[in-house]
Amino acid sequence: MNSITEIKRLMNDWKISYKQANLFKIGFENENLDYQKFYKIMNLKDDYEVIDLVVAEDVVKNYGLNNVLHLSGFEEYMNDCLSEQSELERTFTEHPYLNHETNEIEIPESEVSTNDIFVDLLKNCKNNGDEANSKMAKETLSKIQVIGVEKSMEEMAVNCFRHPETGKPLSYSEMRSFYG
């Protein structure tokens, strides 16, 4: 993007003067826009102080890198300022399990445990999955009786990254090609 286009974009997007946009552009290009320069540029336009020095320092510290404000941090800061000035109000969705008397989230007891769900999924996969998935599910189901559901699922996750025939390690994409 050429200099004039970038200056015009800054002016239009952030409602700043030509002089401010040009100084910001130079500071971004030279990577030397510290909080003092930021403070001076921000306060060029109006007769009153737009931001004070402490705010400028906080902006550069929180939105910049190594105490230098870059274009991306400047735009993030300006967007945050706009969202604070917006007429839109934050809305909150009530949690479906909120107890209004205690103001606590109370998750109802499920009639089916997570372990039961895992076992049912494995049984379904054993009966209906392709060869690799069916074999993996069958092996995992046989281990549940010995080491429990949680440990069996952990082992299954590790075994998914081993070739089903050779046992050699698989990359993520190779694993996906076997097990979907």
Side-chain angles (χ1 to χ4, degrees), residues 29-159:
E29 286 174 355
N30 295 333
E31 298 184 0
N32 65 355
L33 190 62
D34 61 13
Y35 77 92
Q36 292 164 329
K37 290 178 185 171
F38 178 64
Y39 168 79
K40 288 177 185 172
I41 296 170
M42 286 298 287
N43 291 311
L44 277 177
K45 186 176 178 182
D46 299 306
D47 295 335
Y48 62 93
E49 192 174 64
V50 175
I51 62 171
D52 63 32
L53 199 55
V54 173
V55 171
E57 188 173 9
D58 284 346
V59 169
V60 173
K61 178 181 170 190
N62 294 313
Y63 292 90
L65 293 168
N66 299 322
N67 295 315
V68 174
L69 189 61
H70 299 272
L71 177 61
S72 59
F74 169 75
E75 292 191 326
E76 184 180 353
Y77 165 71
M78 296 299 279
N79 276 317
D80 287 350
C81 288
L82 286 176
S83 67
E84 288 173 7
Q85 297 168 3
S86 172
E87 292 180 19
L88 297 175
E89 291 183 31
R90 184 176 295 276
T91 58
F92 296 94
T93 304
E94 187 173 295
H95 195 285
Y97 302 127
L98 177 66
N99 179 329
H100 291 282
E101 293 173 12
T102 62
N103 209 26
E104 299 277 326
I105 306 287
E106 296 176 356
I107 299 175
E109 293 294 321
S110 174
E111 294 185 22
V112 180
S113 73
T114 306
N115 287 351
D116 290 339
I117 294 170
F118 283 142
V119 170
D120 287 345
L121 287 169
L122 287 168
K123 286 179 181 176
N124 184 38
C125 187
K126 179 184 112 183
N127 297 328
N128 301 314
D130 63 12
E131 186 179 337
N133 282 298
S134 179
K135 181 181 174 188
M136 180 71 69
K138 185 177 179 182
E139 289 172 5
T140 304
L141 282 167
S142 69
K143 291 179 183 177
I144 287 175
Q145 303 303 320
V146 179
I147 59 176
V149 174
E150 191 172 321
K151 290 288 183 193
S152 297
M153 297 300 284
E154 288 174 10
E155 274 193 25
M156 182 183 75
V158 171
N159 291 335

Side-chain angles (χ1 to χ4, degrees), residues 16 20-28 33 38 41-42 74:
I16 58 178
Q20 286 175 305
N22 189 44
L23 290 170
F24 277 130
K25 182 190 75 61
I26 292 168
F28 298 144
L33 190 62
F38 178 64
I41 296 170
M42 286 298 287
F74 169 75

